[in-house]
PDB file of all heavy atoms in Angstrom:
ATOM      1  N   SER A  18      -4.591  27.251 -74.555  1.00 82.00           N
ATOM      2  CA  SER A  18      -3.228  27.744 -74.730  1.00 82.00           C
ATOM      3  C   SER A  18      -2.355  26.762 -75.507  1.00 82.00           C
ATOM      4  O   SER A  18      -1.312  27.139 -76.024  1.00 82.00           O
ATOM      5  CB  SER A  18      -2.591  28.027 -73.365  1.00 82.00           C
ATOM      6  OG  SER A  18      -2.495  26.824 -72.619  1.00 82.00           O
ATOM      7  N   LEU A  19      -2.775  25.513 -75.592  1.00 90.00           N
ATOM      8  CA  LEU A  19      -2.019  24.533 -76.365  1.00 90.00           C
ATOM      9  C   LEU A  19      -2.351  24.675 -77.845  1.00 90.00           C
ATOM     10  O   LEU A  19      -3.495  24.910 -78.211  1.00 90.00           O
ATOM     11  CB  LEU A  19      -2.351  23.108 -75.908  1.00 90.00           C
ATOM     12  CG  LEU A  19      -1.934  22.721 -74.496  1.00 90.00           C
ATOM     13  CD1 LEU A  19      -2.464  21.339 -74.160  1.00 90.00           C
ATOM     14  CD2 LEU A  19      -0.424  22.754 -74.358  1.00 90.00           C
ATOM     15  N   TRP A  22      -1.588  21.400 -83.092  1.00 93.00           N
ATOM     16  CA  TRP A  22      -0.692  20.286 -83.413  1.00 93.00           C
ATOM     17  C   TRP A  22      -0.260  19.548 -82.154  1.00 93.00           C
ATOM     18  O   TRP A  22      -0.061  18.335 -82.178  1.00 93.00           O
ATOM     19  CB  TRP A  22       0.497  20.732 -84.255  1.00 93.00           C
ATOM     20  CG  TRP A  22       1.515  21.558 -83.541  1.00 93.00           C
ATOM     21  CD1 TRP A  22       1.560  22.907 -83.474  1.00 93.00           C
ATOM     22  CD2 TRP A  22       2.641  21.081 -82.807  1.00 93.00           C
ATOM     23  NE1 TRP A  22       2.642  23.307 -82.721  1.00 93.00           N
ATOM     24  CE2 TRP A  22       3.320  22.195 -82.296  1.00 93.00           C
ATOM     25  CE3 TRP A  22       3.132  19.821 -82.507  1.00 93.00           C
ATOM     26  CZ2 TRP A  22       4.466  22.088 -81.519  1.00 93.00           C
ATOM     27  CZ3 TRP A  22       4.278  19.708 -81.732  1.00 93.00           C
ATOM     28  CH2 TRP A  22       4.933  20.842 -81.253  1.00 93.00           C
ATOM     29  N   THR A  23      -0.128  20.268 -81.026  1.00 94.00           N
ATOM     30  CA  THR A  23       0.240  19.627 -79.761  1.00 94.00           C
ATOM     31  C   THR A  23      -0.884  18.723 -79.271  1.00 94.00           C
ATOM     32  O   THR A  23      -0.645  17.586 -78.853  1.00 94.00           O
ATOM     33  CB  THR A  23       0.569  20.682 -78.694  1.00 94.00           C
ATOM     34  OG1 THR A  23       1.591  21.533 -79.186  1.00 94.00           O
ATOM     35  CG2 THR A  23       1.016  20.037 -77.404  1.00 94.00           C
ATOM     36  N   GLY A  25      -3.232  17.406 -81.131  1.00 95.00           N
ATOM     37  CA  GLY A  25      -3.291  16.298 -82.078  1.00 95.00           C
ATOM     38  C   GLY A  25      -2.218  15.260 -81.797  1.00 95.00           C
ATOM     39  O   GLY A  25      -2.475  14.056 -81.868  1.00 95.00           O
ATOM     40  N   ILE A  31      -1.818   8.873 -77.318  1.00 96.00           N
ATOM     41  CA  ILE A  31      -2.700   8.045 -76.490  1.00 96.00           C
ATOM     42  C   ILE A  31      -3.160   6.819 -77.275  1.00 96.00           C
ATOM     43  O   ILE A  31      -3.141   5.693 -76.769  1.00 96.00           O
ATOM     44  CB  ILE A  31      -3.898   8.872 -75.985  1.00 96.00           C
ATOM     45  CG1 ILE A  31      -3.438   9.874 -74.940  1.00 96.00           C
ATOM     46  CG2 ILE A  31      -5.003   7.987 -75.433  1.00 96.00           C
ATOM     47  CD1 ILE A  31      -4.485  10.898 -74.572  1.00 96.00           C
ATOM     48  N   LEU A  34      -0.176   4.400 -77.828  1.00 95.00           N
ATOM     49  CA  LEU A  34       0.134   3.670 -76.598  1.00 95.00           C
ATOM     50  C   LEU A  34      -0.913   2.604 -76.318  1.00 95.00           C
ATOM     51  O   LEU A  34      -0.578   1.498 -75.863  1.00 95.00           O
ATOM     52  CB  LEU A  34       0.245   4.638 -75.418  1.00 95.00           C
ATOM     53  CG  LEU A  34       1.465   5.543 -75.425  1.00 95.00           C
ATOM     54  CD1 LEU A  34       1.393   6.551 -74.289  1.00 95.00           C
ATOM     55  CD2 LEU A  34       2.730   4.706 -75.317  1.00 95.00           C
ATOM     56  N   TYR A  35      -2.163   2.892 -76.594  1.00 95.00           N
ATOM     57  CA  TYR A  35      -3.224   1.894 -76.424  1.00 95.00           C
ATOM     58  C   TYR A  35      -3.006   0.712 -77.373  1.00 95.00           C
ATOM     59  O   TYR A  35      -3.139  -0.452 -76.975  1.00 95.00           O
ATOM     60  CB  TYR A  35      -4.593   2.527 -76.661  1.00 95.00           C
ATOM     61  CG  TYR A  35      -5.702   1.519 -76.707  1.00 95.00           C
ATOM     62  CD1 TYR A  35      -6.147   0.905 -75.546  1.00 95.00           C
ATOM     63  CD2 TYR A  35      -6.286   1.158 -77.910  1.00 95.00           C
ATOM     64  CE1 TYR A  35      -7.165  -0.041 -75.591  1.00 95.00           C
ATOM     65  CE2 TYR A  35      -7.294   0.219 -77.967  1.00 95.00           C
ATOM     66  CZ  TYR A  35      -7.726  -0.378 -76.801  1.00 95.00           C
ATOM     67  OH  TYR A  35      -8.720  -1.311 -76.843  1.00 95.00           O
ATOM     68  N   ALA A  38      -0.065  -1.334 -76.116  1.00 92.00           N
ATOM     69  CA  ALA A  38      -0.450  -2.116 -74.928  1.00 92.00           C
ATOM     70  C   ALA A  38      -1.302  -3.312 -75.332  1.00 92.00           C
ATOM     71  O   ALA A  38      -1.086  -4.431 -74.845  1.00 92.00           O
ATOM     72  CB  ALA A  38      -1.198  -1.226 -73.936  1.00 92.00           C
ATOM     73  N   ALA A  40      -1.383  -4.831 -78.254  1.00 87.00           N
ATOM     74  CA  ALA A  40      -0.563  -5.789 -79.003  1.00 87.00           C
ATOM     75  C   ALA A  40       0.347  -6.569 -78.066  1.00 87.00           C
ATOM     76  O   ALA A  40       0.541  -7.778 -78.248  1.00 87.00           O
ATOM     77  CB  ALA A  40       0.259  -5.058 -80.058  1.00 87.00           C
ATOM     78  N   LEU A  48      -0.860 -15.528 -72.826  1.00 62.00           N
ATOM     79  CA  LEU A  48      -2.013 -15.789 -73.682  1.00 62.00           C
ATOM     80  C   LEU A  48      -1.698 -16.765 -74.807  1.00 62.00           C
ATOM     81  O   LEU A  48      -2.558 -17.535 -75.217  1.00 62.00           O
ATOM     82  CB  LEU A  48      -2.553 -14.480 -74.269  1.00 62.00           C
ATOM     83  CG  LEU A  48      -3.312 -13.601 -73.294  1.00 62.00           C
ATOM     84  CD1 LEU A  48      -3.766 -12.326 -73.982  1.00 62.00           C
ATOM     85  CD2 LEU A  48      -4.510 -14.333 -72.730  1.00 62.00           C
ATOM     86  N   THR A  49      -0.484 -16.726 -75.327  1.00 57.00           N
ATOM     87  CA  THR A  49      -0.159 -17.643 -76.412  1.00 57.00           C
ATOM     88  C   THR A  49      -0.012 -19.073 -75.909  1.00 57.00           C
ATOM     89  O   THR A  49      -0.211 -20.013 -76.666  1.00 57.00           O
ATOM     90  CB  THR A  49       1.127 -17.210 -77.142  1.00 57.00           C
ATOM     91  OG1 THR A  49       2.185 -17.079 -76.185  1.00 57.00           O
ATOM     92  CG2 THR A  49       0.925 -15.901 -77.871  1.00 57.00           C
ATOM     93  N   VAL A  59     -17.900 -19.886 -79.907  1.00 82.00           N
ATOM     94  CA  VAL A  59     -18.840 -18.785 -79.680  1.00 82.00           C
ATOM     95  C   VAL A  59     -18.253 -17.780 -78.693  1.00 82.00           C
ATOM     96  O   VAL A  59     -18.318 -16.563 -78.913  1.00 82.00           O
ATOM     97  CB  VAL A  59     -20.190 -19.332 -79.169  1.00 82.00           C
ATOM     98  CG1 VAL A  59     -21.112 -18.196 -78.772  1.00 82.00           C
ATOM     99  CG2 VAL A  59     -20.843 -20.213 -80.205  1.00 82.00           C
ATOM    100  N   LEU A  63     -17.177 -13.914 -79.348  1.00 86.00           N
ATOM    101  CA  LEU A  63     -17.716 -12.881 -78.461  1.00 86.00           C
ATOM    102  C   LEU A  63     -16.596 -12.039 -77.855  1.00 86.00           C
ATOM    103  O   LEU A  63     -16.692 -10.812 -77.800  1.00 86.00           O
ATOM    104  CB  LEU A  63     -18.556 -13.526 -77.366  1.00 86.00           C
ATOM    105  CG  LEU A  63     -19.181 -12.587 -76.349  1.00 86.00           C
ATOM    106  CD1 LEU A  63     -20.228 -11.706 -77.028  1.00 86.00           C
ATOM    107  CD2 LEU A  63     -19.806 -13.366 -75.221  1.00 86.00           C
ATOM    108  N   ALA A  64     -15.516 -12.690 -77.427  1.00 82.00           N
ATOM    109  CA  ALA A  64     -14.380 -11.955 -76.859  1.00 82.00           C
ATOM    110  C   ALA A  64     -13.732 -11.065 -77.913  1.00 82.00           C
ATOM    111  O   ALA A  64     -13.394  -9.903 -77.643  1.00 82.00           O
ATOM    112  CB  ALA A  64     -13.358 -12.933 -76.288  1.00 82.00           C
ATOM    113  N   LEU A  66     -15.118  -9.776 -80.715  1.00 92.00           N
ATOM    114  CA  LEU A  66     -15.994  -8.659 -81.077  1.00 92.00           C
ATOM    115  C   LEU A  66     -16.106  -7.632 -79.954  1.00 92.00           C
ATOM    116  O   LEU A  66     -16.162  -6.426 -80.203  1.00 92.00           O
ATOM    117  CB  LEU A  66     -17.373  -9.176 -81.489  1.00 92.00           C
ATOM    118  CG  LEU A  66     -17.408  -9.940 -82.810  1.00 92.00           C
ATOM    119  CD1 LEU A  66     -18.793 -10.496 -83.061  1.00 92.00           C
ATOM    120  CD2 LEU A  66     -16.969  -9.065 -83.955  1.00 92.00           C
ATOM    121  N   THR A  68     -13.770  -6.967 -77.763  1.00 89.00           N
ATOM    122  CA  THR A  68     -12.506  -6.227 -77.780  1.00 89.00           C
ATOM    123  C   THR A  68     -12.482  -5.226 -78.932  1.00 89.00           C
ATOM    124  O   THR A  68     -12.024  -4.091 -78.766  1.00 89.00           O
ATOM    125  CB  THR A  68     -11.326  -7.208 -77.904  1.00 89.00           C
ATOM    126  OG1 THR A  68     -11.399  -8.146 -76.833  1.00 89.00           O
ATOM    127  CG2 THR A  68     -10.001  -6.490 -77.848  1.00 89.00           C
ATOM    128  N   PHE A  71     -14.774  -2.274 -78.036  1.00 95.00           N
ATOM    129  CA  PHE A  71     -14.143  -1.437 -77.025  1.00 95.00           C
ATOM    130  C   PHE A  71     -13.010  -0.622 -77.630  1.00 95.00           C
ATOM    131  O   PHE A  71     -12.841   0.561 -77.303  1.00 95.00           O
ATOM    132  CB  PHE A  71     -13.612  -2.282 -75.858  1.00 95.00           C
ATOM    133  CG  PHE A  71     -12.891  -1.464 -74.833  1.00 95.00           C
ATOM    134  CD1 PHE A  71     -13.604  -0.710 -73.921  1.00 95.00           C
ATOM    135  CD2 PHE A  71     -11.508  -1.418 -74.816  1.00 95.00           C
ATOM    136  CE1 PHE A  71     -12.943   0.072 -72.987  1.00 95.00           C
ATOM    137  CE2 PHE A  71     -10.839  -0.645 -73.890  1.00 95.00           C
ATOM    138  CZ  PHE A  71     -11.557   0.101 -72.970  1.00 95.00           C
ATOM    139  N   LEU A  74     -14.449   2.233 -79.576  1.00 96.00           N
ATOM    140  CA  LEU A  74     -14.959   3.231 -78.637  1.00 96.00           C
ATOM    141  C   LEU A  74     -13.825   4.040 -78.024  1.00 96.00           C
ATOM    142  O   LEU A  74     -13.880   5.272 -77.971  1.00 96.00           O
ATOM    143  CB  LEU A  74     -15.774   2.536 -77.546  1.00 96.00           C
ATOM    144  CG  LEU A  74     -16.290   3.415 -76.415  1.00 96.00           C
ATOM    145  CD1 LEU A  74     -17.385   4.340 -76.937  1.00 96.00           C
ATOM    146  CD2 LEU A  74     -16.826   2.560 -75.289  1.00 96.00           C
ATOM    147  N   ARG A  95     -10.956  25.552 -84.905  1.00 95.00           N
ATOM    148  CA  ARG A  95     -10.001  24.862 -84.012  1.00 95.00           C
ATOM    149  C   ARG A  95     -10.294  23.359 -83.963  1.00 95.00           C
ATOM    150  O   ARG A  95      -9.367  22.548 -83.935  1.00 95.00           O
ATOM    151  CB  ARG A  95     -10.039  25.468 -82.625  1.00 95.00           C
ATOM    152  CG  ARG A  95      -9.049  24.826 -81.657  1.00 95.00           C
ATOM    153  CD  ARG A  95      -8.734  25.743 -80.504  1.00 95.00           C
ATOM    154  NE  ARG A  95      -7.984  25.081 -79.472  1.00 95.00           N
ATOM    155  CZ  ARG A  95      -6.660  24.923 -79.464  1.00 95.00           C
ATOM    156  NH1 ARG A  95      -5.958  25.407 -80.478  1.00 95.00           N
ATOM    157  NH2 ARG A  95      -6.047  24.319 -78.480  1.00 95.00           N
ATOM    158  N   ALA A  96     -11.568  22.982 -83.966  1.00 95.00           N
ATOM    159  CA  ALA A  96     -11.925  21.556 -83.962  1.00 95.00           C
ATOM    160  C   ALA A  96     -11.389  20.869 -85.204  1.00 95.00           C
ATOM    161  O   ALA A  96     -10.834  19.763 -85.130  1.00 95.00           O
ATOM    162  CB  ALA A  96     -13.437  21.401 -83.863  1.00 95.00           C
ATOM    163  N   ALA A 105      -2.802  13.764 -89.280  1.00 97.00           N
ATOM    164  CA  ALA A 105      -1.454  13.952 -89.813  1.00 97.00           C
ATOM    165  C   ALA A 105      -0.409  13.239 -88.953  1.00 97.00           C
ATOM    166  O   ALA A 105       0.491  12.570 -89.479  1.00 97.00           O
ATOM    167  CB  ALA A 105      -1.130  15.440 -89.923  1.00 97.00           C
ATOM    168  N   LEU A 109       1.989  10.168 -90.081  1.00 96.00           N
ATOM    169  CA  LEU A 109       3.450  10.213 -89.941  1.00 96.00           C
ATOM    170  C   LEU A 109       3.962   9.016 -89.149  1.00 96.00           C
ATOM    171  O   LEU A 109       5.003   8.436 -89.480  1.00 96.00           O
ATOM    172  CB  LEU A 109       3.887  11.522 -89.275  1.00 96.00           C
ATOM    173  CG  LEU A 109       3.833  12.756 -90.160  1.00 96.00           C
ATOM    174  CD1 LEU A 109       4.104  14.008 -89.328  1.00 96.00           C
ATOM    175  CD2 LEU A 109       4.845  12.637 -91.281  1.00 96.00           C
ATOM    176  N   PHE A 110       3.244   8.642 -88.106  1.00 95.00           N
ATOM    177  CA  PHE A 110       3.641   7.473 -87.337  1.00 95.00           C
ATOM    178  C   PHE A 110       3.590   6.215 -88.197  1.00 95.00           C
ATOM    179  O   PHE A 110       4.511   5.394 -88.174  1.00 95.00           O
ATOM    180  CB  PHE A 110       2.755   7.300 -86.105  1.00 95.00           C
ATOM    181  CG  PHE A 110       2.987   5.986 -85.418  1.00 95.00           C
ATOM    182  CD1 PHE A 110       4.094   5.804 -84.616  1.00 95.00           C
ATOM    183  CD2 PHE A 110       2.115   4.926 -85.601  1.00 95.00           C
ATOM    184  CE1 PHE A 110       4.326   4.581 -84.002  1.00 95.00           C
ATOM    185  CE2 PHE A 110       2.343   3.707 -84.995  1.00 95.00           C
ATOM    186  CZ  PHE A 110       3.453   3.532 -84.191  1.00 95.00           C
ATOM    187  N   PHE A 114       6.638   3.842 -89.133  1.00 92.00           N
ATOM    188  CA  PHE A 114       6.570   2.421 -88.789  1.00 92.00           C
ATOM    189  C   PHE A 114       6.865   1.554 -90.004  1.00 92.00           C
ATOM    190  O   PHE A 114       7.670   0.623 -89.936  1.00 92.00           O
ATOM    191  CB  PHE A 114       5.185   2.093 -88.221  1.00 92.00           C
ATOM    192  CG  PHE A 114       4.953   0.631 -87.991  1.00 92.00           C
ATOM    193  CD1 PHE A 114       5.520  -0.002 -86.902  1.00 92.00           C
ATOM    194  CD2 PHE A 114       4.177  -0.107 -88.873  1.00 92.00           C
ATOM    195  CE1 PHE A 114       5.315  -1.352 -86.684  1.00 92.00           C
ATOM    196  CE2 PHE A 114       3.966  -1.459 -88.673  1.00 92.00           C
ATOM    197  CZ  PHE A 114       4.537  -2.084 -87.570  1.00 92.00           C
ATOM    198  N   PRO A 126      15.473 -16.323 -97.964  1.00 64.00           N
ATOM    199  CA  PRO A 126      16.455 -16.115 -99.049  1.00 64.00           C
ATOM    200  C   PRO A 126      15.762 -15.680-100.323  1.00 64.00           C
ATOM    201  O   PRO A 126      14.652 -16.100-100.630  1.00 64.00           O
ATOM    202  CB  PRO A 126      17.099 -17.484 -99.216  1.00 64.00           C
ATOM    203  CG  PRO A 126      16.124 -18.449 -98.631  1.00 64.00           C
ATOM    204  CD  PRO A 126      15.345 -17.704 -97.578  1.00 64.00           C
TER     205      PRO A 126
END
Side-chain angles (χ1 to χ4, degrees):
S18 63
L19 294 174
W22 71 267
T23 304
I31 289 169
L34 289 174
Y35 171 74
L48 286 179
T49 55
V59 173
L63 179 66
L66 291 176
T68 304
F71 177 78
L74 175 70
R95 182 158 170 84
L109 285 172
F110 170 78
F114 173 76

